[in-house]
Amino acid sequence: MNNFGLNIWSNKNFVIEDGLIKLNYKSMPSLLEITEKIRSNNVRGPMLLRFPHLIRRQIRTLYSYFDKAIKNNKYEGSFNAVFPLKVNQFPHAVEAIMSQGKKFNYGLEAGSKAELILAMSQTNLGANITVNGFKDKEMITLGFIAAQSGHNITLTIEGLGELETIIEVAKECNLKIPNIGIRVRLHSAGSGIWAKSGGMDAKFGLTSTEIIEAITLLSQEDMLNNLTMIHFHIGSQMSDIAPLKRALREAGNIYAELRKMGAKELNNINIGGGLAVEYDQHTPSTSRNYSIDEFSSSVVFLLAEIMNAKKVKHPNIFTESGRFIVASHALLITPVLELFSQDYQEKLLNFKEVNPPILQELIELNKLLSNQNCIEYLHDALDHMESLLTLFDLGYIDLQDRSNAEILVHNIIKKALYLKSANPTDELEQLQVKLQERYLINASIFQSLPDYWGLDQHFPVMPIHHLNSTPLRAASLWDITCDSDGEIGFNPEKPLYLHDINLDEEEYFLGFFNVGAYQETLGMNHNLFTHPSEYTIKIDDEGYKIINEVESKSILDILESIGYDKNEILEKLKNDLIMSDFIAEKEKDDTLAKLETFVEQNGYLRTTN
Ligand SMILES: *Cc1c(COP(=O)(O)O)cnc(C)c1O
């Protein structure tokens, strides 16, 4: 049975039982029952489900491995984590991180003014806030306001100019001075497709010369004791652990040197994010070559080794893991709206009293196809199809004959694929690719999987039901944007097979997994499809609760969000209808009511599914 690589990417968060995919937690609800429950309230279109217990699991995993490494290495510093807001700023994601991380005093990282305001409003006083990215005087002043208000905030400087501004603001006001961190420009670069954050030509950080200048400047201003942190970040979805180790050696030695230069309050090394998530559905461990165990012990071991050699106090360790903490907590459920080749159903055959002889032969082939003869019959059928198309072009057979022939050949191929599914020939595999089924999903790839569109990042995808029957259709997925890039094509190297479902009779839902990191704010409103409706699912021993429902924006609100006046638009549409000729009073009222309902719904499709 095909488990869609669940054993590779799901980290045991889900299991397959009775043909359904279920949450592997407490009362173990199935995704299908949650989906149906939500849809029973007349919700249609794609749905984003959040599972706070999966955030808790990641936070606990991170802490427990670092705690273990700290014990094993007799490490004297503490372990601290902040969540980088750019990975997911959505209220119900941040709320889940803050509540599940409360026990660990989990903090937030901000990379822009808006994120800083968010961090100041969402962290518990006393939890850490770190601020990275480029800053102007206002943003730095906001840092002072945060410190004054009681936040444990560290402004990490990306250049000397920012340090000069901090000194300037400190002189101009009497507010509490925030902690200062220095981002070091690493000589060593990261790995993976996102690794642009390290290296000599990196966008961020101070060179060694600049670090020395910064120390001189801070000493002159009597502010050296405000320097508390050394920071680096080698890039996201780190595939190889070697660059991290090089970065740690570099940053660890800089830390030790600076302590020796008199930075007495320098107590923290912030190792940024980068912990990778498994997205692969086919081959294990292609996303990364290390485990969380190796990651945490390498960090702690290396830092201890450097500090012991240089006889310097062990620094507290900070991480800014984002992807690792939230990727698994959200998944997208999309109804399948259409299977394009459903036009080839056998029930649509419509034979004549007398059919052309070659069509008659196809009828026989279809009837008599068996395991023994199927390759031979398949070849005959393909051959006949060629002849039939030629006969049609020459005018010897009509459209009805051609339609019958197409349905029959399609069926013969499908049957052959099915009969030989255990050990298909090369030829059958190629046919399968050619005959791939296109599944139309009620979602926008641009909105919900932007990294697929922009970076070719694959996300695990599988049906949430029918899992006790073998899927046989080579599948490509098409979204409902009218853009040809809104397609996840069939890849013979990493094939996706789905079920042959008659959508007139039953529904078919696909789940896209591990979409909780980066996708939500990166998602774009192409064709004006907005963030899907979202729900937080809290699971306990008895069952589950659906809370925090946020419906996808209504059509009028979408238009308003890009600057239109929604009332003006609605008035205009209503007025045009009212003023139209030849419309009966009853018809007019009904149509107006319809119009008003439609514009208050979200923009995803509501047909059948
Ligand atoms: C983006 C970013 C992170 C998060 O990286 P992940 O790979 O998601 O863990 C952490 N720190 C900084 C400075 C970042 O820019």
Side-chain angles (χ1 to χ4, degrees):
M1 196 195 62
N2 185 336
N3 72 358
F4 295 88
L6 195 80
N7 54 318
I8 303 171
W9 56 263
S10 92
N11 196 19
K12 301 199 172 72
N13 289 332
F14 300 94
V15 289
I16 296 174
E17 249 181 40
D18 312 323
L20 299 173
I21 179 161
K22 297 182 174 176
L23 270 299
N24 190 14
Y25 184 66
K26 295 200 170 174
S27 59
M28 300 185 65
S30 71
L31 290 176
L32 185 66
E33 64 179 288
I34 296 171
T35 301
E36 286 179 339
K37 177 91 175 282
I38 294 171
R39 287 167 59 89
S40 69
N41 290 329
N42 199 25
V43 170
R44 291 296 177 269
M47 315 182 309
L48 186 95
L49 307 184
R50 297 189 199 283
F51 295 96
H53 75 275
L54 295 180
I55 290 183
R56 181 173 58 211
R57 180 171 184 208
Q58 294 307 95
I59 292 178
R60 288 192 174 176
T61 303
L62 187 66
Y63 269 86
S64 67
Y65 278 104
F66 269 95
D67 284 349
K68 187 176 103 181
I70 282 175
K71 256 197 212 101
N72 290 348
N73 290 284
K74 299 198 170 49
Y75 194 78
E76 284 152 19
S78 64
F79 176 73
N80 310 267
V82 293
F83 175 75
L85 281 167
K86 77 162 189 282
V87 183
N88 198 326
Q89 305 95 337
F90 272 62
H92 298 306
V94 173
E95 179 190 301
I97 297 158
M98 289 291 91
S99 62
Q100 304 297 343
K102 196 163 182 182
K103 166 172 152 204
F104 301 103
N105 210 18
Y106 221 92
L108 293 171
E109 183 265 0
S112 66
K113 286 187 209 177
E115 287 182 355
L116 177 52
I117 293 292
L118 193 55
M120 288 161 66
S121 67
Q122 303 302 309
T123 40
N124 304 310
L125 279 180
N128 294 297
I129 297 179
T130 60
V131 186
N132 301 308
F134 298 106
K135 304 163 207 67
D136 62 4
K137 190 167 173 184
E138 280 180 21
M139 189 161 166
I140 284 169
T141 308
L142 279 172
F144 278 69
I145 294 173
Q148 181 65 37
S149 310
H151 286 292
N152 189 0
I153 183 169
T154 307
L155 298 181
T156 300
I157 56 167
E158 307 280 357
L160 282 175
E162 289 182 3
L163 182 58
E164 282 158 8
T165 313
I166 291 177
I167 293 168
E168 192 183 316
V169 175
K171 284 181 181 160
E172 281 172 16
C173 68
N174 281 320
L175 299 174
K176 198 165 169 230
I177 302 175
N179 299 322
I180 298 172
I182 291 181
R183 181 157 182 172
V184 296
R185 180 169 304 196
L186 296 168
H187 179 67
S188 47
S191 67
I193 47 176
W194 284 273
K196 294 188 194 93
S197 307
M200 291 281 265
D201 53 352
K203 181 170 160 192
F204 301 105
L206 280 70
T207 63
S208 18
T209 317
E210 287 169 324
I211 293 174
I212 295 172
E213 268 182 80
I215 299 299
T216 313
L217 203 58
L218 282 167
S219 310
Q220 276 167 7
E221 300 295 335
D222 203 18
M223 282 173 64
L224 192 55
N225 286 349
N226 291 96
L227 176 66
T228 59
M229 185 181 279
I230 288 293
H231 174 246
F232 69 86
H233 169 64
I234 62 174
S236 205
Q237 187 69 358
M238 182 178 81
S239 53
D240 177 7
I241 197 163
L244 175 79
K245 292 186 176 174
R246 288 197 292 273
L248 273 167
R249 284 201 191 90
E250 225 180 311
N253 279 300
I254 292 172
Y255 166 89
E257 295 287 315
L258 295 187
R259 287 230 22 135
K260 288 188 167 175
M261 285 166 76
K264 283 204 303 293
E265 296 297 321
L266 180 59
N267 289 317
N268 309 313
I269 289 194
N270 181 341
I271 64 171
L275 249 181
V277 162
E278 187 60 79
Y279 293 104
D280 206 291
Q281 254 185 302
H282 296 85
T283 19
S285 301
T286 45
S287 303
R288 62 197 154 104
N289 71 355
Y290 57 92
S291 63
I292 168 86
D293 201 358
E294 182 182 352
F295 175 84
S296 49
S297 29
S298 302
V299 170
V300 175
F301 174 82
L302 272 172
L303 288 178
E305 189 183 55
I306 296 166
M307 303 314 149
N308 293 345
K310 293 209 163 172
K311 300 205 168 35
V312 171
K313 186 178 159 223
H314 294 177
N316 301 321
I317 298 165
F318 278 67
T319 70
E320 294 174 338
S321 258
R323 188 185 296 277
F324 177 82
I325 296 296
V326 292
S328 62
H329 97 283
L331 66 95
L332 181 78
I333 304 268
T334 65
V336 174
L337 294 169
E338 202 175 322
L339 271 63
F340 281 80
S341 70
Q342 235 157 44
D343 319 342
Y344 294 119
Q345 287 175 49
E346 258 182 305
K347 69 174 185 207
L348 297 174
L349 285 169
N350 185 6
F351 296 119
K352 297 174 186 158
E353 216 81 341
V354 184
N355 297 298
I358 191 159
L359 185 60
Q360 200 56 47
E361 279 183 45
L362 276 180
I363 296 171
E364 295 299 307
L365 289 172
N366 187 39
K367 212 185 293 169
L368 301 175
L369 190 83
S370 72
N371 204 6
Q372 284 76 37
N373 65 24
C374 82
I375 298 295
E376 184 192 336
Y377 279 25
L378 174 70
H379 289 155
D380 289 348
L382 292 172
D383 198 39
H384 288 356
M385 190 67 219
E386 287 295 321
S387 313
L388 274 154
L389 288 174
T390 312
L391 289 174
F392 178 76
D393 288 347
L394 296 173
Y396 291 111
I397 65 167
D398 65 15
L399 197 58
Q400 187 60 55
D401 295 327
R402 178 176 162 170
S403 155
N404 288 334
E406 284 176 0
I407 296 172
L408 285 169
V409 172
H410 203 87
N411 261 290
I412 291 168
I413 299 173
K414 258 168 75 168
K415 278 189 198 162
L417 287 173
Y418 178 75
L419 289 169
K420 292 283 167 203
S421 59
N423 46 354
T425 60
D426 283 356
E427 180 191 18
L428 277 172
E429 276 182 344
Q430 278 163 18
L431 266 176
Q432 199 153 31
V433 175
K434 253 206 225 142
L435 256 197
Q436 62 183 262
E437 179 60 279
R438 290 171 297 168
Y439 291 73
L440 181 69
I441 55 171
N442 199 357
S444 156
I445 289 170
F446 300 88
Q447 171 59 237
S448 292
L449 307 168
D451 276 346
Y452 177 79
W453 173 74
L455 295 162
D456 250 340
Q457 172 64 55
H458 172 87
F459 292 89
V461 54
M462 66 182 288
I464 63 170
H465 48 157
H466 293 281
L467 296 169
N468 42 19
S469 67
T470 309
L472 291 172
R473 301 302 320 261
S476 58
L477 308 178
W478 292 47
D479 76 4
I480 52 169
T481 66
C482 50
D483 190 312
S484 56
D485 280 340
E487 182 204 347
I488 300 178
F490 181 78
N491 176 359
E493 315 273 287
K494 299 191 168 231
L496 173 69
Y497 295 100
L498 295 176
H499 301 92
D500 207 1
I501 300 287
N502 185 346
L503 291 172
D504 295 337
E505 282 159 21
E506 54 183 328
E507 293 171 320
Y508 195 48
F509 298 106
L510 299 181
F512 290 86
F513 294 79
N514 288 346
V515 300
Y518 294 100
Q519 304 316 295
E520 294 185 52
T521 18
L522 280 179
M524 55 205 120
N525 297 350
H526 195 27
N527 269 151
L528 300 184
F529 290 112
T530 56
H531 191 271
S533 300
E534 67 158 273
Y535 307 84
T536 298
I537 316 295
K538 279 206 139 151
I539 303 173
D540 54 31
D541 289 319
E542 275 74 54
Y544 63 91
K545 282 195 199 67
I546 300 170
I547 57 170
N548 299 340
E549 169 177 354
V550 186
E551 240 228 271
S552 184
K553 269 207 184 99
S554 76
I555 292 169
L556 282 184
D557 288 342
I558 299 165
L559 295 175
E560 180 143 283
S561 74
I562 56 169
Y564 292 94
D565 180 330
K566 68 176 182 183
N567 297 322
E568 211 171 89
I569 286 184
L570 186 56
E571 280 317 303
K572 161 111 178 66
L573 298 193
K574 280 162 60 178
N575 211 38
D576 287 351
L577 185 70
I578 291 166
M579 304 302 284
S580 68
D581 300 330
F582 310 117
I583 184 164
E585 209 49 41
K586 167 99 177 61
E587 179 93 69
K588 189 191 282 180
D589 290 345
D590 287 354
T591 313
L592 281 173
K594 261 188 210 155
L595 183 62
E596 297 211 21
T597 310
F598 294 167
V599 293
E600 290 299 343
Q601 287 173 343
N602 69 56
Y604 289 97
L605 299 188
R606 298 183 65 81
T607 42
T608 52
N609 279 302

